[in-house]
């Protein structure tokens, strides 16, 4: 069973994995449910949508200019930005249906809002958390409105500098909301490996007393798993069942096999990271089997005074440790010792 969202336990449990469907449902509720079913099988914890509408992101200038960020649509004559936004967005009833479906199959649900009305709607839906998109990192009035809802906030910091991150967190805290997850992100689709600077995850962990996660826009699974190794406790990855579908994000999304690899790999890495204290985990039996003891490098007669050239070090380690070598040099042997025989404390 997938792990339910709990802000208070976000550090204690294995990384929380979010399948970001975004607009990969292409406006089709049946396709959306197929994607959710596929994501559920991979073992992810949460399904996430985006609640944008024709009026909540783009101005009329964008629609007049017909400006597309993604290359797929820039030269097409059969559609335009307004038509695509309408086609790839869900209305409130559809989003509610998706939320109910997630409840039915027992997987968490959340979404990214882009207007106050959408925030109110998600609050009524009782989402597990609200994601603030990178584009709104410096939209402090909007951030304040969300913070007042007292829901956990996942704050994406793509495109941001430290002063903007500082102010966004200060605004949330000023509303007595301290349930913040900082989501490191590079807002390019997809970035080059050299663009990522994943060590920034460590910087964010040092600078802020909040959990840090990673929103992965890369192709493949390597960087999500690297982020977990660096301490990310929350991973968001775009997801589709077919990378060749028409749409904004399918090509940069993970497929079922890739998402499964992230889920399994993140769990394994989290378990392997353990704690900071250096301590033995091997049994005493295993230690003795692998370590060496002091042995005779030749036949040694009773009464002989030991010299270094008479001794060697070999397995097993249930005799005198090599650390005793200087202590026993110059001592008299009490019995005859065969070649390769383990030297014991009672031999002196």
């Amino acid at each position: 069973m997938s792990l339910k969202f709990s802000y208070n336990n976000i550090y204690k449990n294995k990384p929380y994995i979010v399948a970001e469907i975004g607009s990969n449902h292409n406006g089709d509720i049946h396709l959306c449910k197929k994607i959710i079913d596929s994501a559920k099988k991979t073992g992810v914890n949460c399904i996430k949508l985006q609640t944008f509408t024709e009026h909540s992101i783009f101005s009329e200038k964008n629609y007049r200019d017909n400006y597309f960020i993604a290359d797929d649509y820039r030269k097409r004559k059969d559609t335009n930005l307004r038509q695509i936004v309408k086609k790839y967005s869900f209305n409130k009833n559809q989003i509610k249906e998706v939320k109910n479906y997630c409840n039915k199959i027992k997987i968490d649900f959340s979404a990214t809002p882009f207007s106050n009305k959408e925030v109110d709607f998600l609050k009524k839906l009782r989402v597990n958390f609200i994601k603030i998109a990178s584009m709104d990192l410096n939209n402090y009035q909007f951030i304040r409105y969300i913070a007042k809802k007292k829901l956990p906030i996942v704050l994406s910091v793509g495109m941001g500098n430290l002063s903007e991150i500082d102010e966004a967190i200060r605004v949330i805290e000023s509303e007595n909301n301290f349930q913040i997850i900082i989501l490191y992100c590079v807002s390019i689709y997809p970035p080059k490996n050299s663009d990522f600077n994943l060590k920034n995850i460590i910087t964010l962990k040092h600078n802020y007393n909040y959990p840090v996660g990673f929103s992965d826009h890369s192709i493949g699974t390597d960087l999500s798993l690297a982020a977990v190794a660096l301490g990310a406790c929350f991973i968001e990855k775009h997801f589709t069942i077919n990378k060749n579908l028409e749409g904004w994000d399918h090509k940069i999304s993970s497929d079922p096999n890739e998402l499964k690899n992230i889920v399994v790999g993140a769990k394994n890495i989290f378990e392997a990271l353990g704690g900071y204290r250096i301590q033995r985990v091997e049994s005493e039996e295993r230690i003795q089997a692998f370590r060496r003891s002091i042995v005779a490098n030749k036949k040694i007669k009773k009464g002989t005074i030991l010299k270094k050239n008479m001794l060697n070090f070999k397995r097993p380690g249930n005799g005198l440790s090599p650390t005793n070598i200087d202590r026993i040099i110059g001592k008299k042997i009490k019995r005859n010792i065969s070649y390769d025989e383990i030297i014991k404390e009672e031999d002196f």
Side-chain angles (χ1 to χ4, degrees):
M1 180 181 292
S2 63
L3 182 72
K4 300 297 287 182
F5 181 83
S6 168
Y7 183 82
N8 292 332
N9 291 325
I10 197 75
Y11 277 131
K12 300 175 185 177
N13 296 315
K14 63 185 179 181
Y16 187 86
I17 313 293
V18 176
E20 166 68 294
I21 294 177
S23 59
N24 279 349
H25 51 69
N26 291 0
D28 182 339
I29 195 72
H30 300 293
L31 174 59
C32 188
K33 289 180 180 179
K34 285 182 180 179
I35 296 174
I36 292 170
D37 287 339
S38 181
K40 168 76 174 177
K41 290 177 182 177
T42 70
V44 296
N45 307 105
C46 182
I47 299 297
K48 196 178 82 62
L49 298 183
Q50 297 174 5
T51 63
F52 65 85
T53 68
E54 177 189 357
H55 305 291
S56 59
I57 298 182
F58 299 111
S59 69
E60 285 300 317
K61 177 175 175 18
N62 279 124
Y63 290 127
R64 285 196 305 270
D65 293 344
N66 200 35
Y67 178 72
F68 286 98
I69 295 175
D71 292 331
D72 294 12
Y73 299 93
R74 286 183 181 173
K75 296 181 180 180
R76 287 178 55 171
K77 303 297 183 184
D78 61 326
T79 190
N80 57 50
L81 179 60
R82 192 187 302 274
Q83 290 173 335
I84 290 295
V85 170
K86 286 182 177 180
K87 179 179 179 181
Y88 290 165
S89 60
F90 272 167
N91 61 39
K92 289 182 179 180
N93 288 335
Q94 289 172 311
I95 294 171
K96 186 175 181 180
E97 184 176 346
V98 171
K99 170 64 162 58
N100 290 338
Y101 188 71
C102 288
N103 290 345
K104 179 182 176 182
I105 67 170
K106 296 186 171 141
I107 192 167
D108 288 350
F109 172 85
S110 189
T112 303
F114 297 94
S115 70
N116 289 0
K117 289 183 179 179
E118 294 168 22
V119 174
D120 294 340
F121 173 65
L122 292 179
K123 173 71 173 178
K124 289 180 181 178
L125 274 186
R126 300 177 67 183
V127 294
N128 295 94
F129 57 87
I130 285 184
K131 158 82 179 293
I132 297 177
S134 293
M135 62 177 279
D136 283 316
L137 180 64
N138 67 344
N139 189 355
Y140 302 126
Q141 288 189 0
F142 187 50
I143 291 174
R144 185 179 302 280
Y145 190 84
I146 294 171
K148 288 180 178 179
K149 301 300 179 182
K150 299 296 189 289
L151 289 170
I153 290 174
V154 176
L155 178 69
S156 186
V157 299
M159 299 183 285
N161 56 40
L162 277 177
S163 64
E164 291 172 333
I165 299 169
D166 284 343
E167 181 61 14
I169 291 175
R170 188 199 68 76
V171 168
I172 297 170
E173 291 176 337
S174 71
E175 298 299 331
N176 291 314
N177 189 333
F178 301 97
Q179 296 186 89
I180 305 169
I181 296 173
I182 301 170
L183 201 61
Y184 180 64
C185 171
V186 177
S187 297
I188 304 172
Y189 300 82
K192 297 179 293 186
N193 285 341
S194 58
D195 291 330
F196 276 98
N197 297 302
L198 285 182
K199 289 180 181 177
N200 282 335
I201 292 171
I202 299 174
T203 300
L204 291 169
K205 284 167 64 69
H206 285 169
N207 283 16
Y208 305 101
N209 190 30
Y210 290 110
V212 175
F214 177 51
S215 180
D216 185 6
H217 298 155
S218 71
I219 305 296
T221 64
D222 291 353
L223 300 191
S224 284
L225 298 178
V228 173
L230 290 171
C233 58
F234 184 108
I235 299 294
E236 177 188 88
K237 183 75 171 175
H238 283 270
F239 179 65
T240 183
I241 55 174
N242 185 349
K243 295 188 181 190
N244 295 316
L245 288 173
E246 181 183 86
W248 283 330
D249 296 325
H250 291 284
K251 288 182 176 61
I252 61 98
S253 297
S254 58
D255 61 23
N257 287 333
E258 289 170 328
L259 194 59
K260 179 69 174 178
N261 287 341
I262 291 173
V263 170
V264 173
K267 176 180 178 292
N268 291 341
I269 291 168
F270 174 76
E271 291 177 349
L273 284 174
Y276 291 97
R277 182 181 177 187
I278 296 177
Q279 57 185 347
R280 291 177 179 174
V281 295
E282 301 88 355
S283 67
E284 190 61 34
E285 180 182 6
R286 189 165 186 81
I287 291 171
Q288 288 187 7
F290 273 77
R291 286 189 167 178
R292 301 179 189 239
S293 297
I294 300 174
V295 301
N297 198 32
K298 57 190 293 187
K299 289 182 179 180
I300 303 175
K301 291 183 179 180
K302 178 180 178 181
T304 300
I305 302 298
L306 280 182
K307 297 180 180 178
K308 275 191 178 181
N309 63 0
M310 299 176 182
L311 304 173
N312 204 343
F313 311 103
K314 294 184 180 181
R315 289 180 177 177
N318 58 357
L320 283 177
S321 163
T323 59
N324 290 283
I325 185 68
D326 291 332
R327 181 175 66 83
I328 66 173
I329 295 301
K331 289 192 172 184
K332 185 184 292 186
I333 288 292
K334 293 181 178 179
R335 65 182 179 93
N336 292 329
I337 297 176
S338 303
Y339 167 73
D340 241 9
E341 188 176 351
I342 290 176
I343 306 293
K344 300 176 182 178
E345 191 68 52
E346 54 266 31
D347 291 333
F348 306 101

